[in-house]
Amino acid sequence: MIAKNFKQVQRNIINAAEKAGRDSSDVRLVAVTKEQGVDTIAEGLRAGTEILGENKIQDAQGKVETLGCDGIEWHFIGHLQKNKVKFIFDLFDLIHSVDSAALAEAIHEKAQTRGTCMPILLQVNVSGEASKFGMDPGDLSKVIRQLAPLEGVKIKGLMTIPPFDSDPEKSRPYFVRLRELRDACAELAFPNVSLDELSMGMSNDYEVAVEEGATLVRVGTALFGPRPSAG
Ligand SMILES: *Cc1c(COP(=O)(O)O)cnc(C)c1O
């Protein structure tokens, strides 16, 4: 079932990219494995999954220990508390969800003490919903200017989560907005900053996200079925 879902999602990504005149090899599928057990994840890996997305440090620790990181990229996609920053370096290759300048600075400081650098995406609250984490779009260029000199973080792009709607077309304006924000900030050409990555699109709207320029789509349910907590 997972292998079949995986093929279908990949096919949909290719079709959406073609429709938009994009090269589908510029779109990477992040298989969101939060709440899924290692057996399910192993099945996903056998189906060809190369990038796994987790949203809780503690859950990820056990999974990384069991499954390793040979040929697997682990991405963090959840809200990261500053007191958990010390754990990310042994677990993750990319943090999608850096939702404040203060968090980026905390990652930078810890990275410096370890002599390393963490690739990050800046999470932007394009919808302005009070319940959502993420930076204010109006602050973005100022924040990037402030973070660009920090050697412990490498800004690779932007991420967003639009308000959930079963109609994927409702997500499109938010994806367009994120792309336009990226284009505007890229023009400012901050040193040490690349804004190539756009992490946007989930099970219900990843095809629309690909049409609008996503380079990373974060898909869970469409690959693995409903999560245990979804009943
Ligand atoms: C859970 C989650 C996803 C995947 O959601 P699905 O609807 O199951 O595809 C994607 N991104 C983030 C940030 C998530 O927390």
Side-chain angles (χ1 to χ4, degrees):
M1 193 58 184
I2 290 174
K4 199 166 144 246
N5 292 345
F6 189 76
K7 278 214 184 72
Q8 184 63 54
V9 169
Q10 280 185 317
R11 209 161 17 219
N12 292 344
I13 289 172
I14 290 169
N15 289 342
E18 264 170 19
K19 190 171 158 196
R22 299 185 60 206
D23 187 339
S24 62
S25 66
D26 292 338
V27 184
R28 294 188 294 156
L29 173 60
V30 180
V32 175
T33 48
K34 64 184 187 197
E35 294 183 36
Q36 303 292 355
V38 288
D39 292 345
T40 303
I41 302 173
E43 207 178 325
L45 292 170
R46 280 194 298 276
T49 299
E50 291 169 344
I51 308 177
L52 304 179
E54 284 284 329
N55 72 336
K56 293 210 168 74
I57 297 288
Q58 211 175 346
D59 293 349
Q61 279 170 326
K63 294 176 185 181
V64 172
E65 212 165 276
T66 308
L67 296 163
C69 21
D70 226 20
I72 308 173
E73 270 185 48
W74 292 87
H75 290 191
F76 189 76
I77 61 168
H79 176 59
L80 180 60
Q81 290 167 308
K82 281 207 213 85
N83 62 351
K84 300 273 173 71
V85 164
K86 56 180 177 283
F87 298 115
I88 62 176
F89 300 95
D90 292 330
L91 298 172
F92 296 107
D93 302 289
L94 177 68
I95 310 297
H96 286 231
S97 42
V98 174
D99 51 17
S100 70
L103 177 60
E105 281 163 357
I107 295 172
H108 156 72
E109 277 165 29
K110 192 56 81 178
Q112 288 282 85
T113 68
R114 299 173 60 107
T116 185
C117 172
M118 178 56 82
I120 63 171
L121 308 181
L122 301 179
Q123 182 173 352
V124 186
N125 185 359
V126 279
S127 64
E129 285 174 289
S131 63
K132 284 257 158 70
F133 290 110
M135 300 180 191
D136 186 324
D139 293 340
L140 192 62
S141 63
K142 195 184 76 196
V143 169
I144 296 175
R145 184 186 307 278
Q146 177 188 342
L147 299 178
L150 304 185
E151 290 170 359
V153 289
K154 172 86 181 157
I155 299 173
K156 305 283 251 183
L158 306 178
M159 179 269 216
T160 199
I161 309 172
F164 178 80
D165 197 296
S166 56
D167 176 6
E169 283 301 326
K170 292 285 197 314
S171 300
R172 192 183 294 274
Y174 300 107
F175 296 151
V176 170
R177 184 84 206 284
L178 193 73
R179 188 189 65 224
E180 289 174 350
L181 269 172
R182 188 275 305 276
D183 292 347
C185 289
E187 233 166 68
L188 301 173
F190 296 107
N192 187 39
V193 172
S194 69
L195 295 171
D196 297 335
E197 303 285 2
L198 287 178
S199 168
M200 54 191 199
M202 303 172 32
S203 289
N204 64 312
D205 56 13
Y206 66 91
E207 291 162 279
V208 170
V210 169
E211 287 172 24
E212 297 303 340
T215 61
L216 291 160
V217 291
R218 310 176 308 268
V219 179
T221 309
L223 295 172
F224 301 107
R227 283 178 285 280
S229 70

